[in-house]
Amino acid sequence: NLAAIPEGLQESELFGFEKGAFTGAYNSRKGKFEIADKGTVFLDEIANINYRVQAKLLRVIEERVVEPLGGNKPVPIDVRLISATNADLKDEVQKGNFREDLYYRLNVIKVDIPPLRERKADIPLLAGFFLREVCVKNGMEPKYFSDSAVEKLMEYNWPGNIRELKNAVEEAAVVTDGELIPPESLNMAYYAAAENKAQASPGLDMPLHELEKKSIILALTKTKGNQTRAAKLLGITRKMIMNKIEKYDLSNIVPIRTRRLKKDQ
């Protein structure tokens, strides 16, 4: 996690160091790349990497060698590199915070993960997983969501994505005494006012196609995936909304039928 490593320590953490390389380096130490030889290095929050270290990382990727801090002998490595970030790296390149050559070397196979509000069908499955996890972790008897609680989870837009969902599920599990979790146990009040305001007054700087997409998502969410009712809300025909769903690839956000999450799901 590059966001958790101070910039001054990133080079030694990733590439290692030799004894005497700096004050306090009493012994040599392998870096993450050398340790992961024949394996995988996952660099989370790649946008937080020190600009000076970026040049060294580029060499590692291109030449398949690392040179520990204070060393003069390259060490050959063979690793798979995976990186992740919630920042717009293209924007960071434009700002001069991220090397363009490194960006293109990392961006070989790109996987975009949509925000939770654009994949509503995942919410019951994720909520059920987190609920089982928190029950086991805290030694509690298994708990389940009521139908109305699942509906509430599906209707919310989750500006905090997965982390917010996980926190809401954990809190609900702790404050609920019985086996069945009611919607009242789900605390999303902190975000409701801001979310309602954003939905009522969409930004004027939003491109027209994004505004249209957002409106369709909101209508489908409010109608629990009923395309006929969603089309009526938007003032368009059902055929038109079907075409828009296909155009914006929104089939995955149409909520699945709400139901109590059984133990075996």
Side-chain angles (χ1 to χ4, degrees), residues 41-224:
V41 173
F42 173 44
L43 299 179
D44 197 12
E45 302 295 350
I46 188 68
N48 292 89
I49 191 170
N50 184 303
Y51 195 84
R52 182 174 59 85
V53 178
Q54 292 179 30
K56 197 163 185 177
L57 177 59
L58 181 63
R59 185 190 176 199
V60 170
I61 296 172
E62 292 185 336
E63 300 181 16
R64 301 287 178 171
V65 296
V66 294
E67 192 170 310
L69 194 63
N72 53 20
K73 183 179 180 182
V75 179
I77 58 164
D78 178 15
V79 299
R80 176 193 294 111
L81 180 61
I82 301 174
S83 60
T85 180
N86 61 358
D88 185 339
L89 286 187
K90 281 189 176 180
D91 188 46
E92 293 300 309
V93 169
Q94 293 295 323
K95 293 178 180 177
N97 298 327
F98 203 86
R99 292 178 61 108
E100 186 175 21
D101 47 7
L102 178 59
Y103 169 75
Y104 287 113
R105 291 299 290 129
L106 290 172
N107 195 27
V108 177
I109 300 177
K110 183 180 180 182
V111 180
D112 287 315
I113 302 180
L116 199 55
R117 64 181 176 273
E118 293 185 13
R119 45 192 174 107
K120 293 278 187 174
D122 290 352
I123 291 175
L125 301 176
L126 289 167
F129 172 79
F130 291 142
L131 183 58
R132 289 191 295 271
E133 186 179 57
V134 71
C135 288
V136 171
K137 179 180 177 182
N138 293 281
M140 297 186 292
E141 291 295 319
K143 297 186 179 186
Y144 313 99
F145 289 108
S146 66
D147 289 347
S148 52
V150 175
E151 288 181 10
K152 186 174 180 180
L153 290 170
M154 298 282 282
E155 290 170 357
Y156 188 54
N157 265 353
W158 301 104
N161 287 311
I162 297 293
R163 289 184 179 89
E164 185 187 355
L165 174 63
K166 186 174 183 179
N167 288 342
V169 169
E170 185 170 0
E171 181 180 359
V174 172
V175 302
T176 301
D177 292 328
E179 177 188 73
L180 200 63
I181 296 177
E184 295 77 24
S185 294
L186 293 166
N187 183 13
M188 285 96 83
Y190 295 114
Y191 306 94
E195 185 185 54
N196 290 337
K197 182 178 179 182
Q199 291 175 356
S201 305
L204 294 178
D205 59 342
M206 182 182 296
L208 184 60
H209 70 278
E210 285 293 334
L211 185 58
E212 181 181 60
K213 179 179 177 181
K214 184 176 180 180
S215 299
I216 294 170
I217 291 172
L218 182 59
L220 286 169
T221 301
K222 283 188 173 183
T223 60
K224 300 181 179 62

Side-chain angles (χ1 to χ4, degrees), residues 216 240-251:
I216 294 170
M240 287 179 67
I241 199 171
M242 289 174 65
N243 291 336
K244 298 295 184 183
I245 289 171
E246 183 177 357
K247 174 182 176 181
Y248 294 117
D249 192 22
L250 299 179
S251 58

